[in-house]
Amino acid sequence: MGIADFAINIGESHKQVVPITIFVAVLCFCLVIGHLLGESRWFNESITALLIGCLTGTVILLISKWKSSQLLRFDEELFFIYLLPPIIFNAGFQVKKKQFFHNFFTIMLFGVVGVFISSSIITAGSWLLFPKFGFTGLTARDYLGIGTIFSSTDTVCTLQVLHQEETPLLYSLVFGEGVVNDATSVVLFNAIQKIDVNRIDGWTAVHIFVDFLYLFSTSTALGVAAGLFTAYILKGLYFGRHSTVREIALTVLMAYLSYMLAELLGLSGILTVFFSGIFMSHYAWHNVTESSRITTRHVFATMSFIAETFIFLYVGMDALDIEKWKMSKLSVGNSIGVYGSVVLLVMLGRAAFVFPLSVLSNCMSRNATRSSSITFKHQIIIWWAGLMRGAVSIALAFKQFTHYGVSLDPVNATMVTTTIIVVLFSTIVFGFLTKPLVNYLLPHSDTSNIDREPSISKEDMKLPLLSFEESAETNLLRAKDGLSMLIDRPVCTIHSFWRRFDDAHMRPIFGGPLSNPSP
């Protein structure tokens, strides 16, 4: 009896501490189980966290006598301010920049154009199908929001299976599209919130596109500026001679500051912190001590891993939130119809752009070798990788259909539960099948011979873009040769021009070794 009274007293005097303590304990348990299942054919960290979240929610539901399954109430502001920045920054900081920018055109096709195509199909499909299952009451902005919510992908499951050394092209496309897709979905979602739904006409799509371009370009520019500014400070002041802690702290805080500035200015924090991570790893990382280089990589990866696990664990627990299920007025049959229609639209919207845009990308790569082109097997894996929905979809759904995590009417509650079910179904079912599918389509023996991107000769790399010491005729001939290379091998040529500009002008100011150091 004394122990029970003690537990009650602790619960009453530490109402916030107890749930957080239990959640952190469950998070630690989730990490241990994820490690033990690391070599599993079917499981990965995302699926493990979701299943443990569901199990924890069930236990809490039983203890509370079917009143609540939640330890903490989800707040989309918590997600966007604290959990998402380390995930996206680490993605930019750890990205293999050479592969990413070699495939930049294709990644942007999938990540930007693909989101517009997928969002349009999901919006139109839900507008046609939902009323057939008795689900009405959504506004035009809601339908547009649904299109962006379910266009956001989660490629973690596939990336855990792919081997970057064996399939660099495929890994780069899946990874790059995943990050750009999330950023595009959030930017498009924010642009939709600004439109006047009472005056939708032919110019509405133009306004959305213009707002999207503005947000995309300004957010990217802010991220680049933050990365370069951090590199300049670290190179000029050399914090490492007194304390490595300061240079690590400055890198972390500047990354977070860039994200918060973007949100404060109404821009996309995701894009800003992603490009900030890319430029910090390209310049600033070379301006810190060797110990700080190792530490920063591990710190950013750890923060990202904990945030991802936290999110999936919470989604699993929130799936059993009894309040949302009670508020929904749809019958079981109609609810299943709504869930099934969303999954079908997601698969259809994904296929509508992956296969056509892959063909377009292959056509644009004039001198593409067999391995540098996107084969049909690659297209299937890219299509499959984007079928899973994750934390960004959950956060956007809460932002659209709840008020500080609380659904105010049955229609909004139904959309929140629909999003949670789709995330659970796609992550668990599609995630279970990802590893067998990839191993079937890409056996290890078929990926041993990797052809690389055609490169520019070292002699051409050493030539300046223009030389004031040579005649105008020589410069014109060089410009003509450069234009020919640009037409013949556009991606490779642009990359070589950038490396020459980077070596000549950027690295001397912002830091980093030269691409082709002289012997």
Side-chain angles (χ1 to χ4, degrees):
M1 187 68 180
I3 296 177
D5 292 338
F6 177 73
I8 292 173
N9 291 333
I10 289 180
E12 290 179 351
S13 58
H14 300 84
K15 291 183 179 180
Q16 295 297 326
V17 177
V18 172
I20 295 175
T21 303
I22 297 175
F23 196 94
V24 173
V26 174
L27 186 62
C28 294
F29 176 73
C30 183
L31 297 180
V32 174
I33 298 299
H35 169 72
L36 295 177
L37 297 176
E39 301 298 325
S40 172
R41 174 182 174 87
W42 304 99
F43 288 89
N44 56 55
E45 283 88 352
S46 304
I47 296 175
T48 302
L50 280 174
L51 293 178
I52 292 178
C54 291
L55 180 62
T56 305
T58 303
V59 173
I60 297 174
L61 205 59
L62 293 173
I63 293 175
S64 65
K65 297 179 180 180
W66 302 96
K67 291 181 180 179
S68 175
S69 67
Q70 291 181 318
L71 284 173
L72 304 170
R73 183 171 295 280
F74 186 86
D75 184 358
E76 67 274 9
E77 296 299 327
L78 169 71
F79 172 81
F80 281 110
I81 293 177
Y82 298 109
L83 297 178
L84 191 59
I87 296 174
I88 303 299
F89 178 79
N90 182 66
F93 196 80
Q94 307 284 1
V95 69
K96 300 295 183 182
K97 293 178 286 297
K98 182 177 180 180
Q99 282 292 330
F100 180 83
F101 286 105
H102 265 159
N103 303 308
F104 189 74
F105 174 75
T106 306
I107 289 172
M108 297 305 289
L109 273 181
F110 288 156
V112 178
V113 179
V115 168
F116 277 88
I117 295 174
S118 175
S119 179
S120 301
I121 291 176
I122 295 174
T123 297
S126 59
W127 180 72
L128 291 172
L129 295 177
F130 283 2
K132 296 183 183 299
F133 298 103
F135 185 34
T136 57
L138 294 171
T139 64
R141 179 180 282 115
D142 289 337
Y143 281 116
L144 291 171
I146 289 170
T148 58
I149 288 170
F150 291 111
S151 293
S152 174
T153 65
D154 180 49
T155 57
V156 172
C157 290
T158 308
L159 290 173
Q160 290 172 353
V161 177
L162 292 176
H163 299 277
Q164 188 167 357
E165 293 76 16
E166 296 179 354
T167 55
L169 171 67
L170 184 59
Y171 189 95
S172 174
L173 293 179
V174 173
F175 174 85
E177 189 221 341
V179 177
V180 177
N181 172 283
D182 286 345
T184 304
S185 298
V186 174
V187 171
L188 185 58
F189 180 88
N190 292 334
I192 288 173
Q193 304 307 308
K194 297 179 181 180
I195 68 172
D196 184 1
V197 294
N198 298 319
R199 298 175 55 186
I200 294 180
D201 51 27
W203 288 100
T204 303
V206 177
H207 289 309
I208 293 177
F209 184 71
V210 170
D211 285 341
F212 170 81
L213 286 180
Y214 168 75
L215 291 173
F216 200 96
S217 58
T218 52
S219 301
T220 301
L222 180 59
V224 171
L228 293 177
F229 183 64
T230 305
Y232 185 78
I233 292 178
L234 289 173
K235 187 175 188 295
L237 300 181
Y238 188 51
F239 286 80
R241 63 187 172 190
H242 296 303
S243 171
T244 59
V245 174
R246 287 192 179 93
E247 56 188 7
I248 297 173
L250 181 67
T251 305
V252 174
L253 292 176
M254 285 299 295
Y256 190 68
L257 178 63
S258 69
Y259 182 90
M260 295 308 299
L261 275 176
E263 294 295 319
L264 186 65
L265 298 174
L267 306 177
S268 171
I270 294 180
L271 268 177
T272 297
V273 79
F274 176 68
F275 279 97
S276 174
I278 289 179
F279 276 77
M280 282 189 188
S281 68
H282 190 63
Y283 296 111
W285 188 75
H286 298 284
N287 298 331
V288 298
T289 59
E290 185 64 30
S291 61
S292 295
R293 295 177 189 178
I294 299 173
T295 304
T296 51
R297 288 201 177 276
H298 288 293
V299 166
F300 295 144
T302 301
M303 293 170 61
S304 173
F305 179 75
I306 293 175
E308 286 181 355
T309 307
F310 183 99
I311 292 167
F312 280 106
L313 185 63
Y314 181 85
V315 169
M317 295 172 59
D318 195 64
L320 300 174
D321 185 7
I322 206 71
E323 296 176 3
K324 297 185 181 70
W325 294 100
K326 286 181 178 179
M327 192 174 290
S328 178
K329 301 298 182 182
L330 289 181
S331 64
V332 176
N334 286 337
S335 297
I336 294 176
V338 171
Y339 307 151
S341 62
V342 172
V343 173
L344 180 64
L345 289 171
V346 166
M347 298 175 72
L348 181 63
R350 183 85 185 155
F353 74 83
V354 168
F355 299 105
L357 294 184
S358 297
V359 174
L360 176 62
S361 176
N362 289 337
C363 291
M364 293 293 292
S365 302
R366 299 186 179 188
N367 290 336
T369 61
R370 185 182 64 83
S371 63
S372 64
S373 63
I374 308 174
T375 65
F376 185 69
K377 289 183 178 181
H378 287 171
Q379 294 173 33
I380 293 176
I381 293 176
I382 293 171
W383 171 73
W384 184 270
L387 293 181
M388 284 155 275
R389 297 297 176 263
V392 175
S393 294
I394 292 286
L396 293 180
F398 271 79
K399 195 171 185 178
Q400 178 76 20
F401 299 109
T402 69
H403 182 69
Y404 292 102
V406 179
S407 300
L408 301 178
D409 61 70
V411 174
N412 290 341
T414 300
M415 276 313 307
V416 173
T417 55
T418 298
T419 306
I420 292 174
I421 290 297
V422 170
V423 169
L424 281 173
F425 177 85
S426 62
T427 302
I428 294 176
V429 176
F430 295 151
F432 268 132
L433 300 175
T434 296
K435 188 175 289 186
L437 177 68
V438 173
N439 290 337
Y440 174 75
L441 292 176
L442 297 176
H444 290 292
S445 58
D446 291 347
T447 59
S448 57
N449 296 323
I450 303 296
D451 291 329
R452 301 298 177 183
E453 188 80 19
S455 59
I456 304 295
S457 66
K458 291 184 178 181
E459 288 74 14
D460 289 338
M461 279 295 303
K462 293 177 181 178
L463 293 175
L465 295 177
L466 288 175
S467 175
F468 293 105
E469 298 177 358
E470 296 179 348
S471 64
E473 182 180 358
T474 302
N475 281 324
L476 284 175
L477 289 174
R478 183 171 297 146
K480 182 180 178 181
D481 292 339
L483 183 60
S484 299
M485 287 193 300
L486 181 63
I487 295 173
D488 189 42
R489 292 176 291 178
V491 175
C492 191
T493 305
I494 291 174
H495 185 69
S496 70
F497 283 162
W498 160 250
R499 283 198 292 172
R500 278 189 270 175
F501 177 79
D502 192 30
D503 288 342
H505 303 287
M506 300 295 287
R507 290 187 184 272
I509 299 175
F510 300 106
L514 298 179
S515 301
N516 294 281
S518 58

